[in-house]
Amino acid sequence: MLIEQLLIGCFMIGLTVIIHAISLDRLVIFLEQIGPKIFKIFNRLWKMPMMVMAVLGVFLTHILQIWLWAFLFYYLAPDILQDIETALYFSTSSFTTVGFGDIYLNKEWRLLSAFEAANGFILFGWSTAFIFEIISKLYKDDPIQKTK
């Protein structure tokens, strides 16, 4: 089972990384396209809705990835994760690296939860860097920086 867990884990990590890359790329394109319209509507306060959209876009990407892991666990361990809500709860606690420990997989599949935790850790770091970059671009030409 070790090899099977490694292969499934690598596949899932690859899939979520591809989803993350595509989602963030599309989010940048969306923000660039909608930026001028948001500026016209909100004028001086235009940066706030842009930041909110960036964070929500990233959050939705994480939700999708957590659901993919949840469906995998639900399929592989129906004896432990008896409904989708339990699978989603387990997946969320694993992906966020909280890992409460009130639900755990048997030895046959438990390594996959560690893969999901490592996956979430990396993707949250990537998301943090992405959001920081978006905010940096929004404030790049801000007058507050020119007062130095």
Side-chain angles (χ1 to χ4, degrees):
M1 275 303 170
L2 176 64
I3 298 298
E4 191 173 5
Q5 289 185 79
L6 292 172
L7 291 174
I8 293 170
C10 288
F11 171 79
M12 287 299 290
I13 288 171
L15 178 63
T16 57
V17 165
I18 289 168
I19 288 169
H20 211 74
I22 291 169
S23 296
L24 297 186
D25 182 62
R26 300 306 310 165
L27 184 55
V28 166
I29 292 168
F30 171 76
L31 292 172
E32 287 172 349
Q33 290 174 344
I34 200 154
K37 294 173 189 163
I38 296 295
F39 182 78
K40 285 180 185 176
I41 294 169
F42 291 94
N43 202 357
R44 296 184 68 203
L45 301 175
W46 74 282
K47 293 173 188 170
M48 286 185 286
M50 294 291 286
M51 287 185 280
V52 168
M53 286 187 288
V55 170
L56 289 177
V58 169
F59 186 73
L60 289 173
T61 301
H62 285 290
I63 297 276
L64 171 64
Q65 294 157 343
I66 289 168
W67 272 91
L68 289 174
W69 279 100
F71 282 123
L72 174 70
F73 290 132
Y74 181 67
Y75 173 76
L76 293 176
D79 52 325
I80 297 167
L81 306 171
Q82 298 174 350
D83 55 51
I84 196 64
E85 190 275 334
T86 305
L88 187 58
Y89 169 77
F90 175 78
S91 179
T92 302
S93 66
S94 295
F95 194 84
T96 59
T97 69
V98 173
F100 290 120
D102 54 339
I103 301 171
Y104 54 91
L105 301 178
N106 55 23
K107 186 176 181 178
E108 183 180 17
W109 297 113
R110 69 181 176 191
L111 187 57
L112 281 176
S113 61
F115 272 97
E116 184 182 12
N119 187 212
F121 182 76
I122 291 167
L123 295 181
F124 277 120
W126 184 359
S127 296
T128 302
F130 175 82
I131 292 168
F132 178 81
E133 184 63 22
I134 293 294
I135 292 171
S136 294
K137 286 185 181 203
L138 289 173
Y139 285 93
K140 184 175 107 181
D141 294 323
D142 198 283
I144 197 167
Q145 293 183 4
K146 295 181 176 153
T147 60
K148 294 178 183 178

mmCIF file of all heavy atoms in Angstrom, residues 16-55:
data_model
loop_
_atom_site.group_PDB
_atom_site.id
_atom_site.type_symbol
_atom_site.label_atom_id
_atom_site.label_comp_id
_atom_site.label_asym_id
_atom_site.label_seq_id
_atom_site.Cartn_x
_atom_site.Cartn_y
_atom_site.Cartn_z
ATOM 1 N N THR A 16 -3.495 19.505 -7.692
ATOM 2 C CA THR A 16 -3.817 20.739 -6.965
ATOM 3 C C THR A 16 -2.848 21.871 -7.307
ATOM 4 O O THR A 16 -3.260 23.033 -7.339
ATOM 5 C CB THR A 16 -3.858 20.507 -5.439
ATOM 6 O OG1 THR A 16 -2.611 19.966 -5.001
ATOM 7 C CG2 THR A 16 -4.995 19.580 -5.053
ATOM 8 N N VAL A 17 -1.612 21.544 -7.579
ATOM 9 C CA VAL A 17 -0.648 22.587 -7.987
ATOM 10 C C VAL A 17 -1.042 23.154 -9.353
ATOM 11 O O VAL A 17 -0.996 24.371 -9.563
ATOM 12 C CB VAL A 17 0.797 22.025 -7.990
ATOM 13 C CG1 VAL A 17 1.747 22.949 -8.743
ATOM 14 C CG2 VAL A 17 1.280 21.816 -6.563
ATOM 15 N N ILE A 18 -1.461 22.288 -10.261
ATOM 16 C CA ILE A 18 -1.908 22.756 -11.579
ATOM 17 C C ILE A 18 -3.154 23.629 -11.434
ATOM 18 O O ILE A 18 -3.241 24.710 -12.031
ATOM 19 C CB ILE A 18 -2.171 21.558 -12.521
ATOM 20 C CG1 ILE A 18 -0.841 20.911 -12.913
ATOM 21 C CG2 ILE A 18 -2.950 21.990 -13.762
ATOM 22 C CD1 ILE A 18 -0.975 19.560 -13.597
ATOM 23 N N ILE A 19 -4.106 23.179 -10.629
ATOM 24 C CA ILE A 19 -5.325 23.968 -10.389
ATOM 25 C C ILE A 19 -4.963 25.319 -9.780
ATOM 26 O O ILE A 19 -5.504 26.358 -10.179
ATOM 27 C CB ILE A 19 -6.297 23.193 -9.479
ATOM 28 C CG1 ILE A 19 -6.914 22.025 -10.242
ATOM 29 C CG2 ILE A 19 -7.380 24.112 -8.912
ATOM 30 C CD1 ILE A 19 -7.679 21.055 -9.376
ATOM 31 N N HIS A 20 -4.036 25.312 -8.833
ATOM 32 C CA HIS A 20 -3.626 26.545 -8.167
ATOM 33 C C HIS A 20 -2.972 27.507 -9.168
ATOM 34 O O HIS A 20 -3.304 28.704 -9.185
ATOM 35 C CB HIS A 20 -2.658 26.214 -7.024
ATOM 36 C CG HIS A 20 -2.730 27.153 -5.885
ATOM 37 N ND1 HIS A 20 -3.760 27.160 -4.979
ATOM 38 C CD2 HIS A 20 -1.893 28.141 -5.491
ATOM 39 C CE1 HIS A 20 -3.552 28.098 -4.075
ATOM 40 N NE2 HIS A 20 -2.423 28.710 -4.373
ATOM 41 N N ALA A 21 -2.088 26.989 -9.988
ATOM 42 C CA ALA A 21 -1.397 27.834 -10.966
ATOM 43 C C ALA A 21 -2.380 28.440 -11.960
ATOM 44 O O ALA A 21 -2.338 29.649 -12.245
ATOM 45 C CB ALA A 21 -0.330 27.019 -11.699
ATOM 46 N N ILE A 22 -3.284 27.623 -12.471
ATOM 47 C CA ILE A 22 -4.276 28.123 -13.429
ATOM 48 C C ILE A 22 -5.191 29.146 -12.765
ATOM 49 O O ILE A 22 -5.467 30.214 -13.330
ATOM 50 C CB ILE A 22 -5.085 26.953 -14.033
ATOM 51 C CG1 ILE A 22 -4.184 26.100 -14.935
ATOM 52 C CG2 ILE A 22 -6.307 27.466 -14.803
ATOM 53 C CD1 ILE A 22 -4.800 24.786 -15.376
ATOM 54 N N SER A 23 -5.648 28.825 -11.555
ATOM 55 C CA SER A 23 -6.568 29.732 -10.853
ATOM 56 C C SER A 23 -5.933 31.087 -10.572
ATOM 57 O O SER A 23 -6.558 32.127 -10.787
ATOM 58 C CB SER A 23 -7.031 29.099 -9.541
ATOM 59 O OG SER A 23 -7.775 27.938 -9.789
ATOM 60 N N LEU A 24 -4.698 31.081 -10.089
ATOM 61 C CA LEU A 24 -4.044 32.351 -9.779
ATOM 62 C C LEU A 24 -3.760 33.149 -11.047
ATOM 63 O O LEU A 24 -3.894 34.377 -11.056
ATOM 64 C CB LEU A 24 -2.766 32.121 -8.975
ATOM 65 C CG LEU A 24 -2.945 31.489 -7.592
ATOM 66 C CD1 LEU A 24 -1.615 31.451 -6.853
ATOM 67 C CD2 LEU A 24 -4.009 32.179 -6.766
ATOM 68 N N ASP A 25 -3.408 32.460 -12.111
ATOM 69 C CA ASP A 25 -3.177 33.138 -13.384
ATOM 70 C C ASP A 25 -4.468 33.784 -13.881
ATOM 71 O O ASP A 25 -4.470 34.951 -14.293
ATOM 72 C CB ASP A 25 -2.647 32.140 -14.417
ATOM 73 C CG ASP A 25 -2.349 32.811 -15.742
ATOM 74 O OD1 ASP A 25 -1.481 33.709 -15.775
ATOM 75 O OD2 ASP A 25 -2.996 32.447 -16.750
ATOM 76 N N ARG A 26 -5.572 33.038 -13.831
ATOM 77 C CA ARG A 26 -6.862 33.578 -14.261
ATOM 78 C C ARG A 26 -7.307 34.726 -13.356
ATOM 79 O O ARG A 26 -7.904 35.692 -13.815
ATOM 80 C CB ARG A 26 -7.941 32.487 -14.282
ATOM 81 C CG ARG A 26 -7.664 31.310 -15.208
ATOM 82 C CD ARG A 26 -7.372 31.650 -16.632
ATOM 83 N NE ARG A 26 -8.344 32.550 -17.216
ATOM 84 C CZ ARG A 26 -8.193 33.218 -18.329
ATOM 85 N NH1 ARG A 26 -7.078 33.102 -19.019
ATOM 86 N NH2 ARG A 26 -9.127 34.023 -18.789
ATOM 87 N N LEU A 27 -7.002 34.606 -12.069
ATOM 88 C CA LEU A 27 -7.375 35.658 -11.121
ATOM 89 C C LEU A 27 -6.637 36.961 -11.438
ATOM 90 O O LEU A 27 -7.232 38.039 -11.397
ATOM 91 C CB LEU A 27 -7.097 35.202 -9.687
ATOM 92 C CG LEU A 27 -7.516 36.140 -8.565
ATOM 93 C CD1 LEU A 27 -8.993 36.508 -8.654
ATOM 94 C CD2 LEU A 27 -7.197 35.494 -7.215
ATOM 95 N N VAL A 28 -5.367 36.874 -11.768
ATOM 96 C CA VAL A 28 -4.598 38.072 -12.151
ATOM 97 C C VAL A 28 -5.214 38.709 -13.389
ATOM 98 O O VAL A 28 -5.414 39.927 -13.442
ATOM 99 C CB VAL A 28 -3.107 37.730 -12.391
ATOM 100 C CG1 VAL A 28 -2.397 38.856 -13.111
ATOM 101 C CG2 VAL A 28 -2.412 37.404 -11.100
ATOM 102 N N ILE A 29 -5.538 37.899 -14.377
ATOM 103 C CA ILE A 29 -6.143 38.424 -15.609
ATOM 104 C C ILE A 29 -7.478 39.087 -15.292
ATOM 105 O O ILE A 29 -7.770 40.194 -15.782
ATOM 106 C CB ILE A 29 -6.299 37.292 -16.650
ATOM 107 C CG1 ILE A 29 -4.914 36.848 -17.132
ATOM 108 C CG2 ILE A 29 -7.175 37.743 -17.825
ATOM 109 C CD1 ILE A 29 -4.910 35.557 -17.927
ATOM 110 N N PHE A 30 -8.288 38.439 -14.463
ATOM 111 C CA PHE A 30 -9.581 39.001 -14.067
ATOM 112 C C PHE A 30 -9.401 40.335 -13.356
ATOM 113 O O PHE A 30 -10.088 41.311 -13.668
ATOM 114 C CB PHE A 30 -10.336 38.009 -13.172
ATOM 115 C CG PHE A 30 -11.572 38.587 -12.547
ATOM 116 C CD1 PHE A 30 -12.725 38.766 -13.303
ATOM 117 C CD2 PHE A 30 -11.579 38.961 -11.210
ATOM 118 C CE1 PHE A 30 -13.868 39.316 -12.733
ATOM 119 C CE2 PHE A 30 -12.717 39.506 -10.626
ATOM 120 C CZ PHE A 30 -13.866 39.685 -11.390
ATOM 121 N N LEU A 31 -8.493 40.397 -12.415
ATOM 122 C CA LEU A 31 -8.270 41.639 -11.663
ATOM 123 C C LEU A 31 -7.770 42.759 -12.570
ATOM 124 O O LEU A 31 -8.170 43.914 -12.414
ATOM 125 C CB LEU A 31 -7.298 41.403 -10.508
ATOM 126 C CG LEU A 31 -7.818 40.526 -9.371
ATOM 127 C CD1 LEU A 31 -6.701 40.200 -8.383
ATOM 128 C CD2 LEU A 31 -9.000 41.160 -8.665
ATOM 129 N N GLU A 32 -6.903 42.428 -13.527
ATOM 130 C CA GLU A 32 -6.424 43.440 -14.467
ATOM 131 C C GLU A 32 -7.559 43.965 -15.336
ATOM 132 O O GLU A 32 -7.615 45.156 -15.640
ATOM 133 C CB GLU A 32 -5.318 42.859 -15.355
ATOM 134 C CG GLU A 32 -4.001 42.664 -14.627
ATOM 135 C CD GLU A 32 -2.967 41.919 -15.464
ATOM 136 O OE1 GLU A 32 -3.318 41.364 -16.540
ATOM 137 O OE2 GLU A 32 -1.802 41.872 -15.033
ATOM 138 N N GLN A 33 -8.465 43.076 -15.726
ATOM 139 C CA GLN A 33 -9.584 43.496 -16.580
ATOM 140 C C GLN A 33 -10.626 44.306 -15.820
ATOM 141 O O GLN A 33 -11.173 45.267 -16.341
ATOM 142 C CB GLN A 33 -10.251 42.269 -17.212
ATOM 143 C CG GLN A 33 -9.404 41.602 -18.254
ATOM 144 C CD GLN A 33 -10.013 40.310 -18.763
ATOM 145 O OE1 GLN A 33 -10.914 39.741 -18.162
ATOM 146 N NE2 GLN A 33 -9.503 39.827 -19.887
ATOM 147 N N ILE A 34 -10.905 43.909 -14.600
ATOM 148 C CA ILE A 34 -11.971 44.570 -13.845
ATOM 149 C C ILE A 34 -11.476 45.802 -13.084
ATOM 150 O O ILE A 34 -12.277 46.643 -12.675
ATOM 151 C CB ILE A 34 -12.671 43.580 -12.894
ATOM 152 C CG1 ILE A 34 -14.038 44.119 -12.512
ATOM 153 C CG2 ILE A 34 -11.837 43.300 -11.650
ATOM 154 C CD1 ILE A 34 -15.030 43.086 -12.130
ATOM 155 N N GLY A 35 -10.181 45.937 -12.912
ATOM 156 C CA GLY A 35 -9.606 47.056 -12.170
ATOM 157 C C GLY A 35 -10.106 48.424 -12.589
ATOM 158 O O GLY A 35 -10.559 49.205 -11.753
ATOM 159 N N PRO A 36 -10.054 48.755 -13.887
ATOM 160 C CA PRO A 36 -10.541 50.079 -14.308
ATOM 161 C C PRO A 36 -12.026 50.304 -13.987
ATOM 162 O O PRO A 36 -12.423 51.401 -13.610
ATOM 163 C CB PRO A 36 -10.299 50.077 -15.824
ATOM 164 C CG PRO A 36 -9.189 49.097 -16.020
ATOM 165 C CD PRO A 36 -9.402 48.041 -14.979
ATOM 166 N N LYS A 37 -12.840 49.261 -14.129
ATOM 167 C CA LYS A 37 -14.270 49.391 -13.814
ATOM 168 C C LYS A 37 -14.476 49.613 -12.317
ATOM 169 O O LYS A 37 -15.302 50.432 -11.915
ATOM 170 C CB LYS A 37 -15.015 48.131 -14.257
ATOM 171 C CG LYS A 37 -15.027 47.945 -15.752
ATOM 172 C CD LYS A 37 -15.616 46.610 -16.139
ATOM 173 C CE LYS A 37 -15.385 46.397 -17.631
ATOM 174 N NZ LYS A 37 -15.556 45.034 -18.026
ATOM 175 N N ILE A 38 -13.711 48.891 -11.512
ATOM 176 C CA ILE A 38 -13.800 49.048 -10.052
ATOM 177 C C ILE A 38 -13.362 50.455 -9.656
ATOM 178 O O ILE A 38 -13.962 51.093 -8.790
ATOM 179 C CB ILE A 38 -12.954 47.975 -9.332
ATOM 180 C CG1 ILE A 38 -13.507 46.579 -9.611
ATOM 181 C CG2 ILE A 38 -12.856 48.242 -7.847
ATOM 182 C CD1 ILE A 38 -14.888 46.326 -9.061
ATOM 183 N N PHE A 39 -12.322 50.967 -10.319
ATOM 184 C CA PHE A 39 -11.849 52.323 -10.031
ATOM 185 C C PHE A 39 -12.937 53.360 -10.330
ATOM 186 O O PHE A 39 -13.142 54.294 -9.557
ATOM 187 C CB PHE A 39 -10.574 52.637 -10.819
ATOM 188 C CG PHE A 39 -10.019 53.990 -10.516
ATOM 189 C CD1 PHE A 39 -9.304 54.214 -9.352
ATOM 190 C CD2 PHE A 39 -10.223 55.045 -11.394
ATOM 191 C CE1 PHE A 39 -8.790 55.473 -9.065
ATOM 192 C CE2 PHE A 39 -9.710 56.305 -11.122
ATOM 193 C CZ PHE A 39 -9.000 56.518 -9.944
ATOM 194 N N LYS A 40 -13.642 53.186 -11.458
ATOM 195 C CA LYS A 40 -14.705 54.123 -11.824
ATOM 196 C C LYS A 40 -15.842 54.098 -10.808
ATOM 197 O O LYS A 40 -16.430 55.132 -10.500
ATOM 198 C CB LYS A 40 -15.250 53.795 -13.212
ATOM 199 C CG LYS A 40 -14.335 54.213 -14.328
ATOM 200 C CD LYS A 40 -14.929 53.849 -15.674
ATOM 201 C CE LYS A 40 -13.944 54.161 -16.783
ATOM 202 N NZ LYS A 40 -14.454 53.738 -18.094
ATOM 203 N N ILE A 41 -16.138 52.919 -10.295
ATOM 204 C CA ILE A 41 -17.260 52.782 -9.351
ATOM 205 C C ILE A 41 -16.879 53.278 -7.956
ATOM 206 O O ILE A 41 -17.623 54.022 -7.324
ATOM 207 C CB ILE A 41 -17.725 51.313 -9.278
ATOM 208 C CG1 ILE A 41 -18.319 50.892 -10.616
ATOM 209 C CG2 ILE A 41 -18.738 51.115 -8.152
ATOM 210 C CD1 ILE A 41 -18.560 49.402 -10.743
ATOM 211 N N PHE A 42 -15.695 52.884 -7.475
ATOM 212 C CA PHE A 42 -15.319 53.155 -6.086
ATOM 213 C C PHE A 42 -14.364 54.329 -5.915
ATOM 214 O O PHE A 42 -14.080 54.735 -4.786
ATOM 215 C CB PHE A 42 -14.704 51.896 -5.450
ATOM 216 C CG PHE A 42 -15.687 50.800 -5.245
ATOM 217 C CD1 PHE A 42 -15.850 49.801 -6.191
ATOM 218 C CD2 PHE A 42 -16.464 50.753 -4.094
ATOM 219 C CE1 PHE A 42 -16.760 48.782 -6.006
ATOM 220 C CE2 PHE A 42 -17.373 49.736 -3.889
ATOM 221 C CZ PHE A 42 -17.526 48.748 -4.859
ATOM 222 N N ASN A 43 -13.816 54.831 -7.025
ATOM 223 C CA ASN A 43 -12.900 55.967 -7.010
ATOM 224 C C ASN A 43 -11.749 55.745 -6.030
ATOM 225 O O ASN A 43 -10.976 54.831 -6.207
ATOM 226 C CB ASN A 43 -13.657 57.266 -6.739
ATOM 227 C CG ASN A 43 -12.901 58.481 -7.213
ATOM 228 O OD1 ASN A 43 -11.786 58.376 -7.699
ATOM 229 N ND2 ASN A 43 -13.492 59.635 -7.072
ATOM 230 N N ARG A 44 -11.636 56.545 -4.989
ATOM 231 C CA ARG A 44 -10.480 56.461 -4.078
ATOM 232 C C ARG A 44 -10.456 55.167 -3.262
ATOM 233 O O ARG A 44 -9.418 54.792 -2.740
ATOM 234 C CB ARG A 44 -10.474 57.666 -3.140
ATOM 235 C CG ARG A 44 -10.268 58.984 -3.911
ATOM 236 C CD ARG A 44 -10.158 60.153 -3.004
ATOM 237 N NE ARG A 44 -8.922 60.060 -2.247
ATOM 238 C CZ ARG A 44 -8.723 60.666 -1.093
ATOM 239 N NH1 ARG A 44 -9.670 61.401 -0.568
ATOM 240 N NH2 ARG A 44 -7.583 60.551 -0.471
ATOM 241 N N LEU A 45 -11.588 54.504 -3.127
ATOM 242 C CA LEU A 45 -11.670 53.281 -2.322
ATOM 243 C C LEU A 45 -11.556 52.012 -3.173
ATOM 244 O O LEU A 45 -11.874 50.929 -2.707
ATOM 245 C CB LEU A 45 -12.996 53.258 -1.543
ATOM 246 C CG LEU A 45 -13.229 54.435 -0.600
ATOM 247 C CD1 LEU A 45 -14.605 54.347 0.008
ATOM 248 C CD2 LEU A 45 -12.155 54.485 0.470
ATOM 249 N N TRP A 46 -11.074 52.133 -4.389
ATOM 250 C CA TRP A 46 -11.062 51.024 -5.334
ATOM 251 C C TRP A 46 -10.168 49.863 -4.917
ATOM 252 O O TRP A 46 -10.390 48.726 -5.317
ATOM 253 C CB TRP A 46 -10.666 51.516 -6.718
ATOM 254 C CG TRP A 46 -9.202 51.831 -6.856
ATOM 255 C CD1 TRP A 46 -8.561 52.938 -6.410
ATOM 256 C CD2 TRP A 46 -8.218 51.024 -7.478
ATOM 257 N NE1 TRP A 46 -7.223 52.875 -6.714
ATOM 258 C CE2 TRP A 46 -6.987 51.701 -7.373
ATOM 259 C CE3 TRP A 46 -8.240 49.798 -8.121
ATOM 260 C CZ2 TRP A 46 -5.808 51.185 -7.879
ATOM 261 C CZ3 TRP A 46 -7.069 49.283 -8.634
ATOM 262 C CH2 TRP A 46 -5.861 49.974 -8.514
ATOM 263 N N LYS A 47 -9.173 50.121 -4.091
ATOM 264 C CA LYS A 47 -8.228 49.062 -3.706
ATOM 265 C C LYS A 47 -8.875 48.017 -2.801
ATOM 266 O O LYS A 47 -8.531 46.836 -2.864
ATOM 267 C CB LYS A 47 -6.997 49.664 -3.038
ATOM 268 C CG LYS A 47 -6.168 50.492 -3.995
ATOM 269 C CD LYS A 47 -5.062 51.220 -3.288
ATOM 270 C CE LYS A 47 -4.389 52.180 -4.259
ATOM 271 N NZ LYS A 47 -3.472 53.079 -3.608
ATOM 272 N N MET A 48 -9.804 48.461 -1.966
ATOM 273 C CA MET A 48 -10.453 47.517 -1.042
ATOM 274 C C MET A 48 -11.211 46.417 -1.778
ATOM 275 O O MET A 48 -11.003 45.234 -1.490
ATOM 276 C CB MET A 48 -11.353 48.264 -0.060
ATOM 277 C CG MET A 48 -10.562 49.001 1.008
ATOM 278 S SD MET A 48 -11.606 49.763 2.242
ATOM 279 C CE MET A 48 -12.243 51.145 1.325
ATOM 280 N N PRO A 49 -12.099 46.738 -2.726
ATOM 281 C CA PRO A 49 -12.776 45.635 -3.425
ATOM 282 C C PRO A 49 -11.813 44.771 -4.233
ATOM 283 O O PRO A 49 -12.041 43.566 -4.381
ATOM 284 C CB PRO A 49 -13.800 46.330 -4.323
ATOM 285 C CG PRO A 49 -13.464 47.771 -4.311
ATOM 286 C CD PRO A 49 -12.639 48.042 -3.103
ATOM 287 N N MET A 50 -10.746 45.360 -4.730
ATOM 288 C CA MET A 50 -9.747 44.568 -5.456
ATOM 289 C C MET A 50 -9.084 43.551 -4.528
ATOM 290 O O MET A 50 -8.901 42.383 -4.890
ATOM 291 C CB MET A 50 -8.696 45.481 -6.095
ATOM 292 C CG MET A 50 -9.224 46.370 -7.191
ATOM 293 S SD MET A 50 -9.703 45.469 -8.671
ATOM 294 C CE MET A 50 -8.086 45.064 -9.326
ATOM 295 N N MET A 51 -8.735 44.003 -3.314
ATOM 296 C CA MET A 51 -8.126 43.082 -2.345
ATOM 297 C C MET A 51 -9.114 42.002 -1.930
ATOM 298 O O MET A 51 -8.745 40.827 -1.811
ATOM 299 C CB MET A 51 -7.622 43.850 -1.122
ATOM 300 C CG MET A 51 -6.372 44.676 -1.396
ATOM 301 S SD MET A 51 -5.709 45.460 0.084
ATOM 302 C CE MET A 51 -6.788 46.866 0.242
ATOM 303 N N VAL A 52 -10.354 42.390 -1.720
ATOM 304 C CA VAL A 52 -11.383 41.413 -1.331
ATOM 305 C C VAL A 52 -11.547 40.365 -2.426
ATOM 306 O O VAL A 52 -11.610 39.161 -2.145
ATOM 307 C CB VAL A 52 -12.716 42.124 -1.023
ATOM 308 C CG1 VAL A 52 -13.854 41.135 -0.903
ATOM 309 C CG2 VAL A 52 -12.593 42.945 0.257
ATOM 310 N N MET A 53 -11.611 40.792 -3.671
ATOM 311 C CA MET A 53 -11.753 39.842 -4.776
ATOM 312 C C MET A 53 -10.540 38.913 -4.876
ATOM 313 O O MET A 53 -10.682 37.716 -5.143
ATOM 314 C CB MET A 53 -11.977 40.576 -6.093
ATOM 315 C CG MET A 53 -13.368 41.149 -6.214
ATOM 316 S SD MET A 53 -13.722 41.849 -7.826
ATOM 317 C CE MET A 53 -12.728 43.336 -7.782
ATOM 318 N N ALA A 54 -9.347 39.459 -4.650
ATOM 319 C CA ALA A 54 -8.143 38.631 -4.700
ATOM 320 C C ALA A 54 -8.187 37.568 -3.603
ATOM 321 O O ALA A 54 -7.939 36.381 -3.870
ATOM 322 C CB ALA A 54 -6.896 39.497 -4.555
ATOM 323 N N VAL A 55 -8.515 37.969 -2.395
ATOM 324 C CA VAL A 55 -8.547 37.014 -1.275
ATOM 325 C C VAL A 55 -9.645 35.978 -1.484
ATOM 326 O O VAL A 55 -9.429 34.779 -1.266
ATOM 327 C CB VAL A 55 -8.710 37.754 0.072
ATOM 328 C CG1 VAL A 55 -8.978 36.786 1.206
ATOM 329 C CG2 VAL A 55 -7.456 38.582 0.366
#
